Amino acid sequence: MLIRAGYDLTFAADMPTPMVAMLNLHPSRRADLRTEHRIVADRPVTMEDFVDGFGNVCTRLVVPVGGITLSCDFVIADCGEPDRQSPQADQHTPDLLPPEVLPFLLGSRYCDTDRLSDTAWYLFGGIEPGWARVQAIVDYTHAQLTYGYQYARATRTAWEANGERVGVCRDFAHLAVALCRCMNIPARYCSGYLGDIGIPPVDIAMDFHAWFEVYLDGAWHSFDARHRVPRIGRILMACGRDAADVALTTAFGPAWLTGFHVHTDEIKESATKSGTLPLAA
């Protein structure tokens, strides 16, 4: 299947403001592109890409006085299948993990494992290590938190989300990630696109989405505590220890988001062959 995705993000600024944007496609998905993936600006600015320590592609720019709109629109191929399920996947003991995976066992800015460790072992210590334990954590997180945009708070940690029992997708991901790490399961936070593909349309504005991946049986596997069930059409942008590592944009000065539009829709293959793509919603 083919998915058309992208965004228009508008920022206001009253002085030149350096910014790092993590709005690129993750390198692991570049081979699936069917059109060019390029960030464009509505004003002439220099943009420079670099790769961070987690393998994400980041873009440096300076937001000019008066602001700027960053846009992207691309088509990507997808297998069209729900998230891969591997219920027999085993959990590695920490001494057998690859060195590059070990950081995803540690506490981080939003995943305060030190405060959740006792809770995690009480809830999940009696569950078989591996896939079953991760699924139990997903089920718990999904039931524990009530989702709503009105509950968004940029400073909320996993421990606070568990106590407050509310949040947005990033809070669901942070809590599940932290609980997995407490149980010695490497887990990393993911950001990207997830459209209403394979489900009834949802009557809310499209947004970027947060989910998480765990390392079992020598591979990373996607889980989604917000939705709890496997979904179709995930498009990874970036991954890290938590949302602090994969912030969509980081401004080094006064810059305000004043416009936000994301689109993610399945399209017919004939549209790309003919060169006429449908208008983004």
Side-chain angles (χ1 to χ4, degrees):
M1 65 182 294
L2 295 178
I3 300 172
R4 184 184 183 186
Y7 52 81
D8 297 286
L9 306 181
T10 300
F11 299 89
D14 53 16
M15 65 177 64
T17 305
M19 175 179 284
V20 174
M22 300 186 71
L23 296 167
N24 292 279
L25 192 67
H26 192 267
S28 63
R29 293 303 305 270
R30 284 200 167 272
D32 298 322
L33 282 171
R34 294 298 177 266
T35 64
E36 182 183 21
H37 181 286
R38 185 167 63 95
I39 301 175
V40 298
D42 66 341
R43 299 183 65 184
V45 295
T46 299
M47 290 189 280
E48 176 188 2
D49 288 345
F50 67 93
V51 178
D52 70 6
F54 296 102
N56 306 308
V57 180
C58 310
T59 302
R60 299 175 64 174
L61 69 148
V62 176
V63 178
V65 174
I68 197 171
T69 295
L70 301 178
S71 302
C72 187
D73 186 41
F74 64 95
V75 175
I76 191 168
D78 190 84
C79 68
E81 298 293 328
D83 299 322
R84 177 167 55 98
Q85 300 295 287
S86 302
Q88 304 306 315
D90 291 327
Q91 179 178 333
H92 302 273
T93 56
D95 57 304
L96 297 178
L97 289 169
E100 65 272 15
V101 174
L102 290 174
F104 299 104
L105 284 177
L106 306 178
S108 55
R109 165 67 179 85
Y110 293 106
C111 298
D112 34 359
T113 53
D114 55 334
R115 306 183 80 178
L116 283 165
S117 182
D118 289 345
T119 298
W121 280 98
Y122 172 77
L123 292 171
F124 311 112
I127 298 173
E128 181 182 359
W131 192 273
R133 183 173 279 175
V134 177
Q135 189 60 57
I137 289 171
V138 169
D139 294 343
Y140 169 84
T141 303
H142 182 80
Q144 181 75 355
L145 304 188
T146 297
Y147 177 86
Y149 278 116
Q150 69 272 27
Y151 303 129
R153 190 175 80 238
T155 59
R156 183 183 288 121
T157 68
W159 184 82
E160 291 170 336
N162 191 56
E164 296 171 19
R165 304 194 63 171
V166 296
V168 291
C169 59
R170 63 178 264 160
D171 299 303
F172 283 74
H174 283 150
L175 179 54
V177 165
L179 292 171
C180 283
R181 291 179 186 168
C182 288
M183 304 307 297
N184 295 326
I185 303 168
R188 63 187 184 186
Y189 180 99
C190 300
S191 67
Y193 302 86
L194 182 65
D196 301 333
I197 299 173
I199 63 169
V202 179
D203 190 22
I204 58 175
M206 185 61 65
D207 198 348
F208 294 112
H209 186 55
W211 63 93
F212 72 105
E213 294 178 347
V214 299
Y215 191 84
L216 298 173
D217 252 352
W220 289 101
H221 303 265
S222 294
F223 285 86
D224 193 327
R226 160 71 178 96
H227 296 296
R228 196 170 64 91
V229 297
R231 290 287 296 270
I232 298 171
R234 290 187 198 278
I235 305 173
L236 181 64
M237 293 168 61
C239 57
R241 293 166 298 185
D242 57 31
D245 290 332
V246 299
L248 295 174
T249 58
T250 300
F252 300 92
W256 304 272
L257 181 66
T258 59
F260 183 91
H261 179 262
V262 178
H263 60 274
T264 314
D265 301 286
E266 182 181 3
I267 63 171
K268 297 184 182 299
E269 190 164 356
S270 57
T272 56
K273 290 181 178 178
S274 65
T276 57
L277 294 175
L279 293 176

